[in-house]
Amino acid sequence: MITVGGFNTSLDKSMETDDLRVGGVVRVRNVRAWPGGKGAHVALTAAALGEPVRLVGLIDSVHRALFEDFLGERGVEFHGVPTRGSVRTCLAVRDGKGRITEMLEPGPEVDAETRGEILASFRALAGAAQLSVLCGSLPPGMGAGDYATLVGEEGSAGRRCGVDTSGEPLRRALDARPFLLKPNRDEAAELLGAAVKSIGEAARAARALEARGVALSIVSMGADGAVACWEGRTFLATVSVEAVNPVGSGDCLLGGMAVGLARGASAEEALRLGVACGAANAVTPETGFVRREDVEALLPRVTTAEVE
Ligand SMILES: Nc1ncnc2c1ncn2[C@@H]1O[C@H](COP(=O)(O)OP(=O)(O)OP(=O)(O)O)[C@@H](O)[C@H]1O
Ligand SMILES: [Mg+2]
């Protein structure tokens, strides 16, 4: 069982246009919308691999049935904490050159009572899981230190907790020494104040995170794969695919790694599964979804090499 805290639920929307002109009228096509947010992506990935998973996130009354049905049908037990504001929409627009522009709303304002309910729901469910993960942004009204608080509590209880977020919540979560941390290259660069462009720089970043108390640090590098550090060793894992939409690949990597770890796999096996899931997301047009058959086909093709 995995517990996912992805509190800032969103409705993910994707669309295409030939030319995304700033300040102009932009007509779009192939519009799709589905329940999303980083937590949903992580949880759906775990569920696609057959792992029992619970997701804690905000939900408004208008969208509750949609989220419960959609996630439930795919094997995710959704624990929606009611909010009076509307869940946010996250927009991904692909232009004629294949570039993707994302527009991310901040999410509804959360009052003290709702914040307390979210934290209590996560605590109760994390205690019953093999592993928990906290991912995505925090809605306005939650504290930048809320992930750090939960990470600290999980660590004190001897349970493994992973984090994938950015900015101040990431900085604070790192100080609480999470079991797992998965920044992408930009998030790692901002966190550490160092360039993370090459594999060598990613390896340095992953080691720096380990030195600050992260047992398993992963710096994801998009099509270049993922660099992970644990027990003083650093590995690069990659698999080459024809990418259609890599948005959400980091979430799927985290979901795959969480499944591996919850099932008792080694860190290297979990990394391979995570990288297969990240790539499996990239080959489908949907954001933050994997098909089990794609993951199974990609897994034997993932290569890992130790980075000196
Ligand atoms: N084009 C690609 N080809 C192969 N693998 C990919 C590709 N894009 C992503 N991946 C895999 O997915 C992992 C995560 O991707 P990435 O580094 O883009 O995450 P991210 O920036 O956190 O994404 P998001 O936050 O949108 O989920 C990579 O480390 C890699 O293993
Ligand atoms: Mg990410």
Side-chain angles (χ1 to χ4, degrees):
M1 167 71 71
I2 296 168
T3 294
V4 180
F7 305 145
N8 210 359
T9 308
S10 98
L11 195 65
D12 284 350
K13 220 173 207 195
S14 77
M15 52 192 65
E16 294 174 7
T17 187
D18 294 326
D19 184 15
L20 183 59
R21 256 180 310 126
V22 177
V25 173
V26 179
R27 296 204 182 272
V28 298
R29 57 179 180 273
N30 293 339
V31 179
R32 304 163 187 233
W34 55 85
K38 294 201 166 294
H41 301 161
V42 173
L44 286 164
T45 301
L49 300 179
E51 184 66 23
V53 58
R54 291 164 168 171
L55 169 65
V56 179
L58 286 173
I59 197 67
D60 57 32
S61 54
V62 174
H63 292 101
R64 179 178 287 278
L66 171 71
F67 274 72
E68 284 177 354
D69 292 352
F70 181 93
L71 293 167
E73 277 163 18
R74 287 161 181 77
V76 175
E77 195 179 300
F78 182 54
H79 292 251
V81 176
T83 175
R84 272 193 294 276
S86 175
V87 297
R88 66 205 180 117
T89 299
C90 289
L91 202 62
V93 187
R94 170 188 284 271
D95 73 5
K97 291 183 176 147
R99 295 175 301 193
I100 295 168
T101 304
E102 290 180 80
M103 286 177 231
L104 313 179
E105 295 179 19
E109 184 75 36
V110 167
D111 60 23
E113 191 188 337
T114 305
R115 176 183 175 211
E117 279 175 36
I118 288 178
L119 298 176
S121 178
F122 178 83
R123 286 178 176 122
L125 296 176
Q130 269 79 45
L131 186 101
S132 62
V133 293
L134 293 161
C135 44
S137 62
L138 288 159
M142 290 198 72
D146 283 349
Y147 281 164
T149 302
L150 295 172
V151 164
E153 289 171 6
E154 289 306 297
S156 301
R159 290 190 295 264
R160 296 173 295 179
C161 182
V163 178
D164 178 7
T165 186
S166 58
E168 190 58 19
L170 172 60
R171 202 172 297 284
R172 301 272 288 269
L174 171 58
D175 289 339
R177 305 165 73 93
F179 173 77
L180 180 155
L181 200 67
K182 194 228 71 77
N184 64 21
R185 62 183 120 196
D186 297 334
E187 291 154 355
E190 197 206 322
L191 177 64
L192 297 165
V196 182
K197 294 201 166 67
S198 65
I199 297 302
E201 287 167 347
R204 260 199 298 283
R207 289 182 191 124
L209 297 175
E210 196 200 30
R212 291 192 40 192
V214 179
L216 175 52
S217 63
I218 306 107
V219 177
S220 69
M221 302 285 287
D224 294 334
V227 174
C229 180
W230 67 90
E231 293 170 4
R233 298 176 76 190
T234 312
F235 291 85
L236 168 67
T238 55
V239 62
S240 157
V241 295
E242 200 67 53
V244 178
N245 175 17
V247 178
S249 281
D251 309 335
C252 295
L253 179 149
L254 183 61
M257 288 201 70
V259 169
L261 294 168
R263 291 177 177 168
S266 67
E268 186 171 351
E269 286 167 334
L271 175 64
R272 295 172 62 90
L273 184 57
V275 164
C277 288
N281 171 67
V283 299
T284 67
E286 289 87 6
T287 297
F289 280 88
V290 301
R291 290 185 302 218
R292 189 174 188 158
E293 57 268 30
D294 290 339
V295 177
E296 283 167 358
L298 287 166
L299 189 55
R301 291 181 37 214
V302 177
T303 59
T304 50
E306 190 154 6
V307 184
E308 293 307 326

